């Protein structure tokens, strides 16, 4: 299939997935703030974004991001602003952090959470650069059509990463369920999670191509 050292790829991919990053922080903050379903949908949204990046890399479109500083910055700042917007909405949410608020449709929409995760991942140029730098190392240089191995490697990496993120989301939701019983503490949970996402947006805005 045009793939070399697949076992090494699996091992390296798992290690990279276990390393906390922007996506992990995003998923944990949503899971803690809104519960298990929100965390799982965030993980699936991040996974969808990774598939989109895989597609772009397979067809060589991600190279444009790597070559063009303007394109890189436009995508970077779009993603950063969107993250800060999500964080601001959470920070200014006056609803208390409790079971009723999480179940309420007015509090949060699962589909919206999924969309937020997809957008924040797609508009993170660092993810695009990662795919075009990491995946080619495991593709046979003699293969003329690299689209198939790109997709196979990208999907494999995405599946393992998504499964791990779902596990993290589940544990985070267990922690959050205990925090809901503390009314005094629960009032500040959304604000803390919102502040974390605002900080994450600032971090993305300050990232460089190097």
């Amino acid at each position: 299939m045009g793939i070399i050292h697949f076992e090494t790829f699996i091992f390296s991919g798992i290690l990279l997935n276990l390393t906390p990053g922007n996506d992990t922080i995003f998923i944990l903050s949503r899971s803690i703030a809104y519960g298990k379903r929100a965390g799982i949908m965030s993980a699936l949204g991040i996974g969808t974004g990774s598939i989109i990046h895989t597609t772009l890399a397979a067809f060589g479109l991600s190279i444009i991001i790597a070559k063009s500083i303007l394109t890189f910055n436009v995508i970077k700042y779009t993603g950063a602003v969107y993250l800060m917007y999500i964080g601001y909405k959470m920070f200014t949410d006056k609803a208390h952090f409790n079971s009723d608020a999480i179940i309420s449709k007015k509090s949060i929409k699962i589909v919206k959470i999924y969309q937020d995760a997809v957008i924040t991942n797609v508009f993170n140029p660092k993810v695009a650069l990662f795919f075009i730098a990491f995946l080619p190392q495991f593709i046979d240089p003699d293969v003329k059509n690299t689209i198939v191995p790109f997709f196979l490697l990208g999907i494999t990496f995405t599946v393992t990463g998504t499964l791990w993120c779902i596990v993290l989301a589940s544990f985070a939701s267990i922690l959050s369920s205990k925090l809901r019983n503390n009314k005094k503490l629960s009032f500040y949970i959304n604000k803390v999670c919102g502040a974390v996402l605002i900080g994450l947006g600032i971090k993305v805005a300050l990232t460089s191509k190097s």
Side-chain angles (χ1 to χ4, degrees):
M1 302 298 291
I3 298 175
I4 58 176
H5 309 303
F6 188 65
E7 297 81 2
T8 304
F9 170 79
I10 293 291
F11 180 73
S12 301
I14 291 175
L15 289 180
L16 290 170
N17 287 324
L18 293 177
T19 305
N22 292 355
D23 292 340
T24 304
I25 296 173
F26 180 85
I27 292 168
L28 289 177
S29 65
R30 301 300 262 181
S31 184
I32 291 173
Y34 298 116
K36 183 177 179 179
R37 286 184 63 196
I40 292 176
M41 291 306 293
S42 295
L44 295 176
I46 295 297
T48 302
S50 296
I51 294 298
I52 293 174
H53 280 294
T54 298
T55 303
L56 294 175
F59 288 96
L61 299 179
S62 292
I63 297 177
I64 298 175
I65 299 175
K67 297 290 184 180
S68 172
I69 295 178
L70 177 61
T71 303
F72 179 89
N73 286 332
V74 168
I75 294 175
K76 177 181 71 173
Y77 290 123
T78 300
V81 170
Y82 195 76
L83 266 175
M84 287 186 279
Y85 168 74
I86 296 173
Y88 172 78
K89 294 288 287 184
M90 292 181 67
F91 188 83
T92 56
D93 187 1
K94 296 181 180 180
H96 283 266
F97 178 71
N98 53 47
S99 299
D100 294 335
I102 290 176
I103 296 173
S104 173
K105 292 183 179 179
K106 294 181 179 179
S107 172
I108 192 68
K109 294 181 179 180
I110 296 299
V111 175
K112 181 64 166 57
I113 287 181
Y114 173 80
Q115 292 174 345
D116 288 343
V118 174
I119 292 172
T120 54
N121 185 269
V122 169
F123 283 95
N124 185 349
K126 279 289 187 179
V127 179
L129 296 180
F130 167 78
F131 275 95
I132 62 176
F134 181 62
L135 299 188
Q137 299 180 50
F138 302 94
I139 296 178
D140 191 339
D142 295 327
V143 174
K144 294 182 179 180
N145 185 0
T146 60
I147 294 178
V148 173
F150 248 114
F151 269 112
L152 290 176
L153 291 173
I155 291 173
T156 300
F157 181 81
T158 299
V159 169
T160 56
T162 301
L163 290 174
W164 170 242
C165 288
I166 289 176
V167 172
L168 287 179
S170 299
F171 277 108
S173 66
I174 294 174
L175 173 63
S176 67
S177 65
K178 295 181 180 180
L179 295 176
R180 288 173 213 145
N181 297 324
N182 188 325
K183 293 183 178 180
K184 185 176 181 180
L185 181 62
S186 67
F187 180 75
Y188 297 99
I189 297 299
N190 271 3
K191 296 186 181 299
V192 171
C193 291
V196 168
L197 291 184
I198 292 173
L200 188 59
I202 295 173
K203 178 185 175 183
V204 171
L206 295 176
T207 56
S208 62
K209 292 175 67 174
S210 57

